[in-house]
Every structure is written in structure tokens, then in C-alpha cells.
Amino acid sequence: VFGMSANSLAYSEQSGAEAAVELGQETTPTSSAGGAAFGLFSTDFKKNEDLKEMLESTKESLKLEAMKRVVGLIARGKNASELFPAVVKNVASKNIELKKLVYVYLVRYAEEQQDLALLSISTFQRALKDPNQLIRASALRVLSSIRVPIIVPIMMLAIKEAATDLSPYVRKTAAHAIQKLYSLDPDQKEHLVEVIEKLLKDKSTLVAGSVVMAFEEVCPERIDLIHKNYRKLCNLLMDVEEWGQVVIINMLTRYARTQFVSPWRQDGVFEENSEKAFYDSDEEKKEGAAQTKPYVMDPDHRLLLRNTKPLLQSRNTAVVMSVAQLYWHLAPKHEVSVVTKSLVRLLRSHREVQYVVLQNIATMSIQRKGMFEPFMKSFYVRSTDATHIKTLKLEILTNLANEANISTILREFQTYVKSQDKAFAAATIQAIGRCATNISEITDACLNGLVLLLSNRDETVVAESVVVIKKLLQTQPSQHSDIIKHMAKLFDNITVRRRFIERSPSILWLIGEYCEHVPRIAPDVLRKMAKTFTSEEDIVKLQTVNLAAKLYLTNSKQTKLLTQYILNLGKYDQNYDIRDRTRFIRQLIVPNEKSGALSKYARRILLAPKPAPVLQSAFKDRDRFQLGTLSHTLNSKATGYLELSDWPDVAPDQSVRNVEVVEAVRINTRSDCYYKSESEEKSESSEDSVKSSSQSEKSSDSGTDKKKKKTLKNKKLQQGKKAGKDGYRPQSPALARCFTRLHIHVVHCFCLSRLFPVQVSSPVFVPVRPHELLHRMTGKGLAAQYHFPRQPCIYGDHMVSVQLTFNNHGDHALEDIHISEKTSTGQSIHCFRPIERLEPEASVTVSVGVDFNDSTQAASFQLCSKTERFSVSIQPAVGELLLPVTMTEQDFSREQGKLVGMNESSATITMAPETVSSQPVSKKVVSVANVGVVPSGQDNVHRFAAKLVSSGTLVLVCVVQKDSSAQLTVNTERTVVGSMLLRELQTALSSAP
Amino acid sequence: MIHSLFLVNATGDIFLEKHWKSVVSRSVCDYFFEAQERATEPENIPPVIPTPHHYLISVLRHRIYFVAVIQSEVPPLFVIEFLHRVVDTFQDYFGVCTEAAIKDNVVVVYELLEEMLDNGFPLATESNILKELIKPPTILRTVVNTITGSTNVGEQLPTGQLSVVPWRRTGVKYTNNEAYFDVVEEIDAIIDKSGSTITAEIQGVIDACVKLTGMPDLTLSFMNPRLLDDVSFHPCVRFKRWEAERILSFIPPDGNFRLLSYHVSSQNLVAIPVYVKHNITFREGSSQGRFDLTLGPKQTMGKAVESVLVSSQLPRGVLNTSLNPSQGTYTFDPVTKLLSWDVGKINPQKLPSLKGTMSLQAGASKPDENPTINIQFKIQQLAISGLKVNRLDMYGEKYKPFKGIKYMTKAGKFQVRT
């Protein structure tokens, strides 16, 4: 019906009623043939009647029960399409399980019942707006799975919307929906490519695999879309889920083959962009110039190889295989062997996995014996292996054979020849033959061994041996007359001969071909054959005629009569092939007046030296396919196979992969890129990140001075960092901070670009709420108050700024008010300049900076005047330890998505009725905590973002209002802060304004 | 990617089908049945079968064929790995993965398959994510559901889907906090006629059962990590940490999982814990053959060799056997010619033996090859490679967990050629 994907697309495009009819035809006969007699079928029909009733009942449980039975029907391949109207009514059910089962049904039958299916569309459109991301996603999944051409525009709209959804899970679903829409209507390609382009920029690891999959399916030729995302994909790879990793690695393999120059060009001289390239000296450079342009690997090429290597340790065999093929196709020759161990490890996995892996190893081992030779014993055959596994292992062992290990391999083969699995024994004999031709030293030994096998009782083994001996002799016939003699001797025993010849007429051919080497035996064989000629198989008869002809030409004295006898027998044979052959031979060899010029050449025709057959691996030509692909396994091009292009001669512009760094103010809010955690910041890898950052800078320079430039750039970058440390660019303290504390991360960000910018914003204005520091009674006239002005502290970026207001309530002036010593509780504090004199009734305000270390522990210190000292303490509210940041709604939900689990604390609160409208909620939240308001698209959702002053950890607050109650969520890595903040907000929100 | 899935039983009936894209007629399976007929053994069906318009990729587990229908180029291992993951999930949910279990739970199976793939591309394969979406059926839950009308289907997106630790559920609570680790090593070996080792290697796994409250962060270190030559990890293991310090650092999934599989470097000599003395002979022209087999322990570090099971595929010419085991029981199936001897424990003082005669087909010639003997055994409290766990520490939570580590050695593919 449909062969190529293009056809199948056309097929689904016109689908409609035609498809429905066809499907109906397809399913009905099979289901009745599947064991159900007509009687059973009719009871099925009755059952369906009661199912209909159940589905239309008002009881939820009955409906659910009915749906479960319907799904049972679908699973068994029974036709349940007539229930469509009854089922589709339940699409909006509140019961989630029921709803899901209806979805299953709908996706299965919508194509057949297009008109009725349209009834459900509005439900999905509504669900696409649901606040629950799971519901949004599953609505999109079902909507896009309904293969009804009419709704293409609706699907397109839904996909576009979902592609910008806040939830990465929904965006992932959108990526899947792209492929579905494309297969439904390929005309939408242009629009879909736009969506793919957008989603490729997505930084969520959840989306990456799915969108690359969509890319591969919809527009694999648009390699230009990958450029800007190449480095991001390489860096994300480790954190992407395993299935996505496979898809991304395969795509990047293809990409790399179009963008980088071959690392194989000069195998001997290999120089690489390693540390040497950075710290090279002048003389080395001269050397380089003298040589003919040494190969330097593109740093992006190296990045890919480096980032995929750890995935060889994946538990997922598909991931390991895809990395192996990436190394095979992209890595310099001497690096490919890193994949060996992992591939051998996969041989421990399930039988099917072994099968595919062995096939790939077979192809690899032809070109690179050395890779697998140390692991030769892993390919030894066990009696319990399946036949196809055995044959593959044999193939590999044969490929690995060389002068050094051949004796071991042959010894192993001897065991296999005796195997009870005769097909395998025959394959082993073939393998021995191949070893014998490849390694000339052992040809004799192999031949002798094979000759011994001729006395084997099993015919398959004997026949195979003769064939292999024949091939071997053809390669070097002269010195092996004794072998032919030996074979001919087997003819003495008539029963053996009969059996023997039937299975392998090629022995006759062999004797005929080399009859000059065995002048005594050959005529005797012919004599024996003549005796039984009439009762032989056709193929044997043909070979006998051939033998006779050859002998006639070489030894006509002895065989003339015999030949004529045979030719006469052949003339009246029942088989016309034999009659034909006989006639031809007679004309050719027996000279008579009618025979023309041809008979003069009879000798040259019949006894022409034949080229020796080539014994080679069945996997010889498989390397035309990319390893690990279906096409490689099948050894034929599968539908949709994408060719791996050859390396370009000249690398295309590298700068296309550069990503502009928009602004420097980027803070790593997520230092737990799971695998790249702690150690990443250590020296070794920080060098790496510096390296890659210099890549991201424009480096289109070429030739020998490239290295120098790079070093220069490197220096520049370091200078930049130093400048940052010294407080360079004072107008932006946040910038300075992020340079000092997280400079490695910032550098990292450039290439990772997975981190979004967090910018400290100005705080929302709230009325000053003063707290008492020192009461005038205890302070003997001196009163002090403090409040948090919520401004970034000018003294240090880890500090919270606190304003102190001193009042002199006494009757004499106070002198030299200052903070005497550092805090007793360990916080660092930036003091104010001592106040020299405070007149009675006068007041003065100063500001200090306190580093609270993001804890609400009070900072205690001694406040001194000239005569007195008072122990005071500043107790920060948790909301004051924050600085507001701005971010978009999208960034917010992405970050929130990362901070789930124990990083999330939430509570439901009943709100005072006055707070129900929007304004008071945010007012209340900001009054408690110094957070920035995130613009929100929904009226009932309020989002706030802030970061902790000291550590820079992100704190996200989200309030979702529902009538009079609200769901309050706080996400932050600092769980303690999170729960305290939650408690504070809870009390604030639930109280009246 | 994966277009449809058909489940086929040993007798060649399709008992379940699921389509993720347009419906593919089940007649496509005819190509599979053809291959099934051609194959002499169920294992011999090629895993990848091309048909005119589709490709069939199948795996065989628990005597059920899982046949995936593919329409265009896809890495075959991708599909194979996924199908195995499906089987693992079924096993996890229903305890067993049999035709009966699948048929009984057909709704859950369908719901699972629906969640695991979207448009043929894997969506959720992590067991703990699936369990939040679809709760495994238990008798208690079924009863409760029928009374209360609640469902097995979760309404919220599982937290794991979005988190950086997708393998762990949140809000895990236990009264007894326990973490058990089983170090299980398997010896694969081929021993030749004379008793010398042709090839032997050790493969090991660490299976864990972790029931810990909250978000524990565990580290596991070894006394001799250098032994581990090639390793593959559960995604929870921090790779960099292993690279740098050879320490396994991870936030574990909840419940049972395989933390690590490893291969012990081939340079190390492998201790073979059992030896076999055998004398199996067929004489030309005689209808009797001798069978004589004795097992004994060696290099077991003083541990007992238990659960020994010997099996052998005898040549086709053998009609029946009359053997006498010194311990345990033996059976011989005259149809499949499979001899199996359940030995039990090897007592070093009194070595188990199996002696007697085989009767051969009269007139048939003597078999070319002596049968290969497959041996299974277990040795408790011993990791044959000598691998030892140094310590297990927990961070991130305050309680004191109960920790347990168990070692075991088993025979993998252990064959003796005779």
C-alpha cells in the first residue's frame, strides 16, 4: 500500500473515508480469523450493546468499567469503532482515569470517525489552557494524535502556543506534536521549521532530545539551524534523558561530518589543539610553519568528542552504541579504541543487543583488527549461543586472525567444527578457508585439516570442506596433487562416493581442472562415474560431462572411449540441459568436418586458467552505512536513512557556531548541573572552560599565528576577570560580584549559555518599618532604631544594608557613638564612621552593612558611646535577606522546574476576602519579603523572584489564587530559608490587610 | 520511531497490540511468523526482520515476543533497549511478565504503554515517574478503588519529570530507613577437555534496595576500586566524582535498582571455584555409552558451593540414560535430549557424582562431539574478584539508616567442553 515515507504521507493526507474503509477491511477478517468463530463474534456484538448502555449511564464507576472493557477490546485488536458516539461523550469527564482511557480510544478510532471526532476538539482546546501542566500536555498529545486533516490549523496554533509554554514538559510535548502534524500534512513544513528553530534554542534538557528528533524527522537538511545550538547541545548532552542522548549524538555525528575537516588525513603526524597549543613557544611555532600545515582539530570537534566520552558508561546500550559510532566516524584513528571495552561490555546484555553489537564489531574489526584483538576471547562461541550469534562471533574471530594468534583461533575452530549445530560447523569450515587464504603460512596446515574432515560422517561438513578445499586449491594448485589424490581415493567406497558426490559435485570439477596433476587417478574416477552415470543427479551428470571433456583434451588416449560413452548417454538424457551440454561439448572437442574454427580453441576454452575466487568477509561492504543504524544491520538502505557525508576538504566557517554573549551579568543559579558538580570548578576543568570560552569568542583567524592570538585572548580574558575582582565597573556591584565569586561560572556560562540572566532590580517601595535596637531607657537617653532600606549594600555585595537611626533623648550631648567590635556571633559587619557628637533631641541616620550569611541569626555587637557600651543585636527578618531580581515568566518557570522536590515548600492558605483582588497580594508579599514581581500573564497567579544576598541563591515565590484560598509555593535551594519565608508569607497573606 | 507493538506468544498468537501512529494491520506479523517457522529454536529468530513496507524488531523475554513495527531508519538498539525496558516495567508492576499477567492487567498495560511512548518516542521510562502516574495494581488498592471510586491514575505531573534527579520521587517516607547493597559477581568461563581454562572473566553488578526517607545523598567507596575495569552506571551516579576519586556518589532512586555493573580487568587471573572430572565415551558400533561426571570445589576461599545445577545437551543419537547420582536428582528428556542434574550443595568430603550408561540408537554411528556441560552454582558471602566495599555514608538527612552489604558469586555462562 505504501512504501516510501513520502507515499505513506500522501496516504495519510488523503486518508479520510478511504482509509477508514481500508482499515475496517483489514481488521475485521483478522479479528474473526484470530480464533473467534462467527458465534463468538455475535456475542461480542451483544456485549458491545451493553457496553453502550454502561457508557451512557450516569454512574462513573459503570462508565469506567465499560471503558476498561473497551480498551481490552482494542488491545486484542477487536473492532470497537461502533461505540465511538457513546465513548466520545465522556471526553470531558472529571475522572482522570476514565478520561485517559477515552483518549486512548479516541486516538485509535478518530481517523475512522472523523466527523464525530471533531466533537471532542473543543474539550482539548479548553484543556490546553488548564493551569495543570500535565493536563495541558496530555491535551496536546491527544489533539495532535487525532489524524484528522480538518484540524491541522488548530493543531498548528496549539503547537505554536505550547512551544512557548512555561512548562518544559509541555514544550517537550509540542516537539513531539511537530512530527505528528508533519506526517499528517507535510505542507506545514515551513511553519513547523520555525517552531523547531525556536525550540532548538530551548535550554531545558527535557526538550532537547525531543526537538532534535523533530528536526531529524522534519528538516534534517537544515543543518544551519544547528550551528548556534551546537555548543549548547554538546554541553547539555550529559543531562539529557537517555533516549534524547541517542538522537542528539546521531544528529551531531552527521553535523560534524559536514563542518569539520577530517582528522584522518595525516595519520602519522598528529598535532592537536591541546595545552601545547596554548603555551607553545616560538621555536615550536617555526617548526609548525616549516611543516605542511599540521592538522589542528577544531575545538568544537574536540568538545563533541570530550563530552560524549563519559556516556560510554551509560547503562543504556543504545547510548553506548551511538557514542561508539560517533567515535568511529569522527575521532582520530588512534582514539577510536576507547570504545572497545564498552562495546565488549554490551556483549553481556540481552541476546538481541548482542546481535546488533556483534554486527557492528564485525564491520569495525575488518578495518581495525587491533581494536578488538585483546578481547578475542570474548568472542569465543558457547554452545548455548543462538545460531546467528555464533555465526557473527565466527565472523569476528576470522577478521581478527593474524600470524600471531592464528594457532589459538584454529584450535578453537577445531572445537566448533565438531559442533552438533551442523550449519555452524559448515560456517566454521568456511572461516577456516578464509583464514587460510589470508595468512599464507597456515594454508598448508588448513588444507591438511580440511582433508581430514573429508572423512567426517556428516555430509554438510564434507560438502563444505570440498568447496573450501576447491577454493584454496584454485589459489595455488601446483603443489597439491596429493590432496586431490586423497580426495579421489574416497571414490573407492561406493556408498561414500554416492553420498559424497551428491553433496559436492565440485570435487569432479576439481579433478577435471587439475587432471594433469593426477594423471593416473582422473581417468579412473571418470570410469567410476561412467558406470553410475544414468542414476546420478543432474548436477553430477553435468560435472561428469565436463570432466570427460577435459580429460579427453589432456589424455585422449586413455579416455577417448569413456568420453564417447558418456557423451552418448548424455545425448539421450531426459534433462534438456544435459542434452544441450553434451551436444555442445561434442561439437567442441570431437573434431569432425562440420565443426568450425571453434574446436581449434577447445583447449583454450575449457582449460583456461580460472581466476581464484576471493574469500572475503560478508561484512566487507557494510561500512558504507553509518554504524549502529538499521541500514547497517540489514545491509541495505532503510527508508529514511540519512547518508553520512564525506569530510569537507576545507572546513566551513567556524564562526557560525559562535553565540553572542548578550550581557555579562549572568549568575549561575544552578550550580548542580548534575554531573558537572563539584569537581567541575576544580583547576583541571576550569582550564577547560577557559578554553572553550576562548572558542566562543570569534576565532576565525587561521594559520600559524592562531595559537598566539588565542593565548593573547586568554590573557585578555584573565585580565578581564582580574579587573572584575578589583571592583572594576563600580556602577554595577552585581557585576563585580559575579566576577569575583563566580568567575569560573561566568566563563562557563558563555559556552553553556544554559543559564539565564538574573538582574538585580530595584526593590518595590514599601513603607519603612523600623525595629528597635536600643530603647532609650536602657540606652540611658540614647535610642536607636534600625530598618532595612532594601537597597544593595554599598559596602560589600554579600551584605545586607541596614540603616540605623540614633536619637538622643537625654539631656546632654553624646559623643563618639560607634560600634566597638565585630559581632560576637560571627557575622562580618561594616561599621559606620563614628558619630562625633549627637546633641540632645537630635537624630542621625547612618547605614551599616551586615553579612548575615543568609541566616536569620541575629547579629550582636556592642554599641558604644564615649562613656557607655550597650549590647545590641539586629534581628533580620527572612524577607530582608533577599534582593529582588527581574526575570521573565518563562525563566521563572524554568527555574522553578529545577527547584522541585525538597527545594520546594508549599502550603494552602485561606485568604482574607479583602486580599482576593490582585493588588493586595503582591503588596503583602513585598511587605514581608524583598522580592521582585515577575510579570504574570494570568490574573490569579502571582510570581516573585529574589536571590539571597550572601550566596546568590535564587528564591522563587508563587501564589496561585483560587477563590478564597490560595496555593503558596516557595522554591529555593536553601530549604530552611524557604520554609521560614513560607511561614511568614502564610501569616501575612491570611491576615486582613 | 516505534510505530506499533505486537505481543506474540510461543504458539504464534497476537494477544495484544498497540499503535502510536496510524494503525498497522496485524498481517505485518506474518513475516515474523514466517521467520518463526524457519527458526529451529525460538532464540534463532533474527531480531531485525525487513518486510516490504516496515521493519520488525523483536525481543524474546519470558517466552513472549515483543514485536515492534518500525517504518523508517532508527538505531535498532534504541528499539531493542526500549522493548527490554518495557518488559522490565511490566515485571516491576505485575511481579511477573507472563501472557496471563498482561491479559489480566490489560488496562494498566495500555496506560503504561501510552505514557512510555508519545508518537513512538520514549516519554517516561523511569519506573518512579511511571509509578506516580499510574499506581501499580495491588489487591488492597483495587478494593479501595472500587469502594471510594478513586483511580490509579495520578493527576499531577510527577515531580521527577522536571527535576534534575528524575529517578527519585519526592516526599518519600519510611519508618525504618534501610539501604541494602548486593554485590553479585558472575563468572563466565569456558573450560576445555583437559580442565584448563580457555577463557574466564568476571562480570559484576551492584544491585541496591534503598528505602530511605527524604533526599539522601549516598557515597559508596571500595577498598580496591582499581579492580573495576569497565563500569556502567545508573544515571544517578556522579560520573566526575568517580573519575576523580573512584567513589560512587549518588542520590539513590527509591526502591530496587541496579547501581553499577562492572567488568573486572582481564589481567587478573580468575579463580575457578569448581572443577569437573568427566568421562563421557561413545564406542563405535556399540549401542551403549559411558557417562561419568564428578564435581569438586577448588579456590572457593573456604565458602560452600551451593545450588549447583548441571545441564547438558546430549547428542541426538542418545535414546535414554540410566544414571545414578550420588546426591540430588537428575532428569533426562528423551525428546529434547536435555540432561539436567540438580546437585545442591557440594560437600568437599563426599564429592557428588553422576555415573551410568547412555543407550544409543542401534546402528547409528558414534556422535562426533561430546556434549558441553553447563554448570550453575552460587557461593554466598564471597565476591570472587575480591572486590570489597569500604564504606557507605549518607549526607543530606539526619537519621541513621540501617546499612547492609551482601556478596555473592554465581556462575554466568560457565561451560565445560568434554
Side-chain angles (χ1 to χ4, degrees), chain A residues 549-750:
Chain A
K550 283 175 187 166
L551 281 176
Y552 183 86
L553 288 175
T554 51
N555 187 2
S556 62
K557 211 169 92 192
Q558 270 186 306
T559 57
K560 192 172 179 184
L561 287 172
L562 266 177
T563 308
Q564 262 163 8
Y565 174 66
I566 285 169
L567 290 177
N568 282 336
L569 286 176
K571 193 173 173 186
Y572 299 108
D573 201 87
Q574 284 181 321
N575 187 301
Y576 55 76
D577 266 349
I578 295 167
R579 293 200 302 273
D580 262 2
R581 175 74 60 90
T582 315
R583 233 184 333 265
F584 165 68
I585 295 286
R586 188 189 289 276
Q587 290 299 319
L588 191 63
I589 58 171
V590 185
N592 56 6
E593 61 283 5
K594 265 187 272 174
S595 70
L598 210 56
S599 62
K600 277 184 214 150
Y601 301 103
R603 221 185 150 80
R604 275 166 74 183
I605 292 170
L606 284 174
L607 294 174
K610 277 101 184 156
V614 190
L615 295 172
Q616 65 176 19
S617 164
F619 283 80
K620 190 86 190 160
D621 56 344
R622 286 222 183 173
D623 55 356
R624 65 200 156 118
F625 295 112
Q626 185 175 355
L627 288 189
T629 59
L630 184 62
S631 305
H632 176 269
T633 297
L634 296 170
N635 197 18
S636 74
K637 203 168 172 176
T639 320
Y641 173 73
L642 299 165
E643 291 284 349
L644 207 57
S645 71
D646 270 334
W647 299 100
D649 292 333
V650 182
D653 186 10
Q654 307 177 353
S655 61
V656 287
R657 285 184 291 277
N658 291 347
V659 184
E660 317 83 60
V661 181
V662 190
E663 69 274 64
V665 191
R666 291 189 172 196
I667 292 171
N668 189 356
T669 48
R670 194 186 146 208
S671 55
D672 60 353
C673 318
Y674 201 75
Y675 289 92
K676 307 192 184 78
S677 52
E678 314 91 333
S679 57
E680 188 76 358
E681 283 129 352
K682 284 180 188 155
S683 58
E684 171 247 332
S685 42
S686 76
E687 195 180 277
D688 275 0
S689 55
V690 168
K691 217 188 282 177
S692 45
S693 76
S694 65
Q695 291 155 21
S696 64
E697 277 179 62
K698 215 171 167 125
S699 57
S700 52
D701 41 1
S702 59
T704 41
D705 55 350
K706 182 175 180 179
K707 294 170 194 166
K708 201 175 180 184
K709 268 194 189 169
K710 236 177 209 154
T711 335
L712 266 177
K713 258 179 205 157
N714 225 19
K715 265 183 202 153
K716 226 187 273 172
L717 199 83
Q718 266 155 1
Q719 274 166 5
K721 273 188 274 172
K722 249 182 233 146
K725 257 181 204 158
D726 301 336
Y728 184 63
R729 293 188 220 173
Q731 73 276 19
S732 166
L735 178 78
R737 175 166 60 251
C738 76
F739 262 119
T740 48
R741 195 157 34 82
L742 288 164
H743 59 276
I744 289 163
H745 274 298
V746 172
V747 174
H748 219 104
C749 296
F750 292 161

Side-chain angles (χ1 to χ4, degrees), chain A residues 1-3 23 26 30 68 71-72 74-77 95-97 100-101 104 108 111 132-134 141 147 168-169 172 176 179-180 206 210 213 217 238 242-243 246-247 250 310 313-318 321 341-342 345 348 350-357 377-378 380-384 386-388 412 415-416 418-420 422 456-457 628-631 633-634 638-641 670 674-675 677 679-680 897 900-902, chain B residues 1 15-17 21-23 25-26 43-48 50 53-55 58-61 71-78 80-82 84-85 106-107 110-111 114-115 117-119 121-123 125-126 133 151-157 159 161-165 167 170 186 188-190 198-199 201 203 215 229-240 251 284 313-316 365-366 368-369 372 374 413 415 417:
Chain A
V1 184
F2 42 91
L23 286 168
E26 269 173 5
T30 36
K68 284 186 174 171
V71 167
I74 298 174
R76 272 178 288 147
N95 183 318
I96 187 123
E97 187 169 17
K100 280 204 162 171
L101 295 179
V104 169
R108 171 69 181 72
E111 212 169 355
N132 184 336
Q133 50 183 344
L134 184 62
R141 273 180 69 187
R147 288 168 293 274
Y169 184 69
K172 184 187 179 73
H176 291 174
Q179 304 163 53
K180 299 185 213 171
L206 203 58
S210 300
M213 188 64 225
E217 205 129 303
M238 199 73 193
E242 37 196 2
W243 310 106
V246 178
V247 176
N250 283 333
Q313 257 64 52
S314 171
R315 64 167 171 173
N316 188 318
T317 57
M321 188 67 232
K341 261 185 204 169
S342 306
R345 186 187 70 227
R348 284 278 302 170
H350 299 285
R351 184 178 54 88
E352 297 85 5
V353 175
Q354 286 182 36
Y355 174 71
V356 178
V357 174
K377 289 190 171 173
S378 303
Y380 279 9
V381 173
R382 289 159 203 279
S383 63
T384 41
T387 307
H388 51 249
E412 186 66 16
T415 330
Y416 302 165
K418 283 187 271 172
S419 165
Q420 292 178 40
K422 291 305 165 199
N456 194 292
R457 248 179 311 280
T629 59
L630 184 62
S631 305
T633 297
L634 296 170
T639 320
Y641 173 73
R670 194 186 146 208
Y674 201 75
Y675 289 92
S677 52
S679 57
E680 188 76 358
V900 288
M902 65 176 199
Chain B
M1 293 218 140
F15 66 93
L16 187 119
E17 63 179 70
K21 301 184 184 181
S22 299
V23 178
S25 160
R26 48 164 71 189
E43 288 85 22
N44 284 351
I45 301 180
V48 184
H53 306 300
H54 299 94
Y55 306 96
S58 62
V59 306
L60 170 67
R61 296 248 321 245
Q71 220 170 20
S72 59
E73 175 63 56
V74 61
L77 272 186
F78 186 98
I80 289 169
E81 176 81 27
F82 176 79
H84 281 298
R85 217 55 87 75
V106 69
V107 175
Y110 239 66
E111 284 168 344
E114 190 72 25
E115 288 305 331
L117 280 182
D118 181 16
N119 196 36
F121 190 80
L123 190 63
T125 48
E126 254 334 305
L133 281 168
T151 67
N152 276 337
V153 178
E155 294 190 30
Q156 288 295 327
L157 184 69
T159 44
Q161 271 285 19
L162 299 174
S163 86
V164 283
V165 281
W167 52 86
T170 48
E186 290 192 0
D188 284 357
I190 301 178
I198 293 179
T199 158
E201 45 188 20
Q203 315 273 352
M215 273 285 170
D229 186 33
D230 180 51
V231 282
S232 82
F233 300 116
H234 188 276
C236 69
V237 177
R238 294 180 179 100
F239 184 69
K240 289 271 176 183
I251 294 175
E284 193 72 62
Q313 180 78 45
L314 296 188
R316 242 165 283 155
S365 49
K366 121 181 172 26
D368 297 324
E369 189 197 27
T372 309
N374 295 303
K413 294 175 191 155
Q415 298 199 331
R417 293 175 178 166

